[in-house]
């Protein structure tokens, strides 16, 4: 009953999602009690390691540390655990399954490539829950132990969390003793007690959505889909295959460290030429010249 939109068919749901206006820029939490806010982001839970289709793509191996983290903060007093985006890594699941639709050549200039529909996002969510069941179970146990809440905000890699059936699936995995203590933020940002929290992709040319507060659209067949971004096309066309070949690049920061290491300390002509060709193909096929320019400029500046 807390997820009434999960009962709607695709067309009725899309009507509701596309109609979201300025109220969905920021969710202002009316909760009167102030708790300590524990804010985390970018866990990037993946599909695990059992399925060979996803070899080299899992990034989260810290289930025990996650449980200890929640136990430590939860035992110190009432908390609001706020997951501020990129909780789940949907982009690489889509890339591995080749599920991202290609650009519609008839689409108007500047129209973003569309991404997942709710069915794909729900299937991907089930993969992630099966691979990381203890992560979700620990959040439910946190809620059960005391006066704690869990607040989940969508990021760019997990805008799929805006689908109501996905929210319902995650809620069932967390299984809170009091469902009111689990909150999904449907807006771009969240505010409570004078604290403003958002993931931040809206301020990055490579990762922002065309419609910040309601990143949805209909494809040519009328099916409701999430909007994509240059960053998601980058992950689909370039990054995922690169990470398969060099799995630890996700642990290098800034991104230039991975490039410099590969060129200077571990050159591999076949790998490097393949990466260069994939990147050129990305620029050729993915977006308009202006959008590529702005996105690549943002990446280089970063």
């Amino acid at each position: 009953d807390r997820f009434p939109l999960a009962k709607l068919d695709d067309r009725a749901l899309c009507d509701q999602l596309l109609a979201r206006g300025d109220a969905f820029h920021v969710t202002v939490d009316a909760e009167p009690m102030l708790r300590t806010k524990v804010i985390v982001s970018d866990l990037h839970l993946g599909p695990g390691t059992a399925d060979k289709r996803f070899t080299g793509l899992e990034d989260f191996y810290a289930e025990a540390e996650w449980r200890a983290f929640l136990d430590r903060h939860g035992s110190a007093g009432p908390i609001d655990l706020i997951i501020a985006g990129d909780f789940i890594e949907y982009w690489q699941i889509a890339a591995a399954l080749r599920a991202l639709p290609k650009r519609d050549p008839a689409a108007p200039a500047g129209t973003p490539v569309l991404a997942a529909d709710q069915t794909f996002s729900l299937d991907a969510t089930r993969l992630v829950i099966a691979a990381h069941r203890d992560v979700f179970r620990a959040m439910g146990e946190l809620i059960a132990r005391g006066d704690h809440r869990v607040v989940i905000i969508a990021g760019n890699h997990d805008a799929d969390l805006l689908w109501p059936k996905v929210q319902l699936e995650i809620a069932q995995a967390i299984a809170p003793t009091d469902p009111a203590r689990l909150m999904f933020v449907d807006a771009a940002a969240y505010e409570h007690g004078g604290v403003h929290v958002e993931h931040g992709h809206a301020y990055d040319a490579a990762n922002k959505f065309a419609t910040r507060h309601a990143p949805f659209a209909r494809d040519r067949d009328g099916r409701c889909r999430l909007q994509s971004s240059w960053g998601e096309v980058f992950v689909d066309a370039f990054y995922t295959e690169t990470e398969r070949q060099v799995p630890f690049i996700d642990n290098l920061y800034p991104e230039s460290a991975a490039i410099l290491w590969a060129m200077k300390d571990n050159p591999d002509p076949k790998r490097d030429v393949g990466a260069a060709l994939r990147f050129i193909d990305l620029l050729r096929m993915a977006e308009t010249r202006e959008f590529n320019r702005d996105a690549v400029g943002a990446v280089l500046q970063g």
Side-chain angles (χ1 to χ4, degrees), residues 244-264:
R244 286 189 193 277
Q245 297 177 23
V246 192
F248 69 83
I249 61 171
D250 240 7
N251 299 326
L252 298 179
Y253 185 84
E255 288 83 354
S256 58
I259 298 171
L260 293 173
W261 169 83
M263 293 173 62
K264 178 178 181 294

Side-chain angles (χ1 to χ4, degrees), residues 28-170:
V28 179
D29 191 348
E31 166 68 24
M33 179 175 174
L34 297 181
R35 300 169 179 82
T36 298
K37 288 176 171 50
V38 178
I39 305 174
V40 301
S41 74
D42 295 88
L43 300 183
H44 288 271
L45 302 182
T49 59
D51 191 328
K52 294 187 184 304
R53 294 176 299 174
F54 306 115
T55 297
L57 302 184
E58 180 58 60
D59 294 322
F60 190 86
Y61 298 93
E63 276 84 353
E65 291 86 349
W66 174 249
R67 178 177 290 279
F69 176 81
L70 296 186
D71 287 346
R72 183 170 70 253
H73 286 284
S75 63
I79 67 169
D80 284 339
L81 173 68
I82 302 175
I83 302 179
D86 288 3
F87 177 37
I88 293 177
E89 176 52 69
Y90 288 98
W91 283 8
Q92 289 196 310
I93 297 175
L97 298 178
R98 302 186 182 278
L100 188 66
K102 301 305 180 186
R103 171 174 290 286
D104 179 359
T111 303
V113 172
L114 297 181
D117 61 15
Q118 184 169 227
T119 299
F120 167 82
S121 298
L122 184 58
D123 289 343
T125 301
R126 288 169 175 160
L127 282 173
V128 172
I129 290 172
H132 300 284
R133 205 167 292 280
D134 200 47
V135 170
F136 299 90
R137 189 178 293 121
M139 294 161 69
E141 292 171 4
L142 172 72
I143 292 172
R145 271 203 309 274
D147 187 15
H148 309 302
R149 299 190 306 162
V150 173
V151 179
I152 300 177
I153 305 169
N156 52 319
H157 284 249
D158 62 0
D160 308 64
L161 295 176
L162 298 173
W163 292 118
K165 287 185 179 179
V166 168
Q167 295 178 1
L168 175 58
E169 191 75 18
I170 292 173

